Amino acid sequence: MNKIVIIDYGLGNLYSISNAFRSLKIECSITDKVEDIKNCSAIILPGVGSFNAAIKSLESTGLARVIKDAVLKRKVPLLGICLGFQLLFEKSLEHGSNNGLKLLSGVISKIKTKQNKFKIPHTQWNKLIISSDNKKHTPLKEISDNEMVYFVHSFALEGKHINSLCTTKYGSYDFTSGVLKDNIFGLQFHPEKSGDVGLKILDNWLKINNLK
């Protein structure tokens, strides 16, 4: 039986994510226990809030180490959402410079827009710009270019990342809104708040990883 865990490190958007998976007929366990992660078949790393508070919580509880062991050694599928997406990278410049989980290369920095009408935080529905190659054998398969999804964030991975699945434009600012590298999948937006499109992406991720 598949055991999917949602990591509770005190900053997560836990129950809306759990409810989204339940609507797909998948039960997830919300946990902060190291042993649960050691025995899981997939990991969801959510998050809303401060990067430095998040990484301190993960490091101090031992969750960071066990997550990295599961992902890098056992090749357990990992889905990072919003702050959980940002934590996948080397570091963030939010409130100084703080190291992330270093599962992917890249630096998270503050969104910079030149037009006053584009406020920070970026809190709105916005478009996914998806290359045709990323519509085939990835969690974005069958997702149309320019589909709208829901964002809430002030920091982002600027430009197009080497592992980018999709990008998004906010005024003059371009950022990576989704990545995939081997068993690591990350989304800057909230699929659990993005209606049928978000649920389709989650369902694709489950099926690609034989979790459904």
Side-chain angles (χ1 to χ4, degrees):
M1 181 177 179
N2 291 319
K3 184 180 178 184
I4 303 173
V5 295
I6 300 172
I7 306 298
D8 179 5
Y9 57 100
L11 290 163
N13 194 30
L14 306 174
Y15 293 99
S16 60
I17 295 170
S18 177
N19 288 337
F21 279 99
R22 189 171 291 120
S23 74
L24 297 171
K25 305 195 181 327
I26 296 291
E27 292 295 327
C28 302
S29 300
I30 296 172
T31 186
D32 60 359
K33 303 289 191 300
V34 165
E35 279 305 311
D36 288 341
I37 303 168
K38 285 182 177 179
N39 296 300
C40 73
S41 52
I43 296 169
I44 300 166
L45 184 63
V48 176
S50 167
F51 186 101
N52 58 342
I55 197 64
K56 284 177 182 176
S57 176
L58 290 170
E59 294 284 3
S60 66
T61 57
L63 292 173
R65 176 184 53 79
V66 74
I67 290 169
K68 288 191 278 189
D69 283 348
V71 172
L72 297 176
K73 295 179 181 178
R74 291 201 292 122
K75 302 300 179 184
V76 169
L78 168 65
L79 168 59
I81 297 172
C82 196
L83 178 58
F85 164 88
Q86 296 179 5
L87 289 164
L88 303 177
F89 295 92
E90 292 171 284
K91 65 180 179 178
S92 170
L93 302 181
E94 182 180 356
H95 303 305
S97 178
N98 293 278
N99 290 333
L101 293 172
K102 299 184 179 180
L103 293 169
L104 298 172
S105 64
V107 176
I108 304 298
S109 57
K110 191 171 181 64
I111 295 172
K112 302 179 289 291
T113 61
K114 297 176 182 178
Q115 304 101 315
N116 290 333
K117 67 178 180 177
F118 293 98
K119 304 298 184 184
I120 308 300
H122 172 219
T123 306
Q124 65 177 67
W125 291 78
N126 207 338
K127 294 177 181 178
L128 297 181
I129 303 167
I130 310 168
S131 71
S132 58
D133 289 343
N134 290 331
K135 296 180 183 179
K136 298 175 182 177
H137 306 294
T138 78
L140 298 188
K141 65 181 182 178
E142 301 171 6
I143 303 297
S144 301
D145 201 21
N146 291 324
E147 286 283 11
M148 302 289 282
V149 293
Y150 190 71
F151 292 87
V152 182
H153 62 123
S154 299
F155 288 75
L157 185 65
E158 188 171 358
K160 185 174 182 179
H161 188 264
I162 188 172
N163 301 120
S164 174
L165 278 182
C166 55
T167 59
T168 297
K169 192 172 181 65
Y170 186 50
S172 59
Y173 185 81
D174 292 288
F175 64 93
T176 292
S177 46
V179 294
L180 179 66
K181 182 182 180 184
D182 302 323
N183 54 320
I184 301 168
F185 178 43
L187 300 171
Q188 179 61 74
F189 58 92
H190 287 273
E192 78 282 5
K193 296 181 179 180
S194 297
D196 291 342
V197 172
L199 290 178
K200 176 62 176 173
I201 292 170
L202 295 178
D203 195 49
N204 285 342
W205 177 72
L206 291 168
K207 290 175 179 176
I208 286 170
N209 288 290
N210 298 313
L211 299 167
K212 185 178 184 182

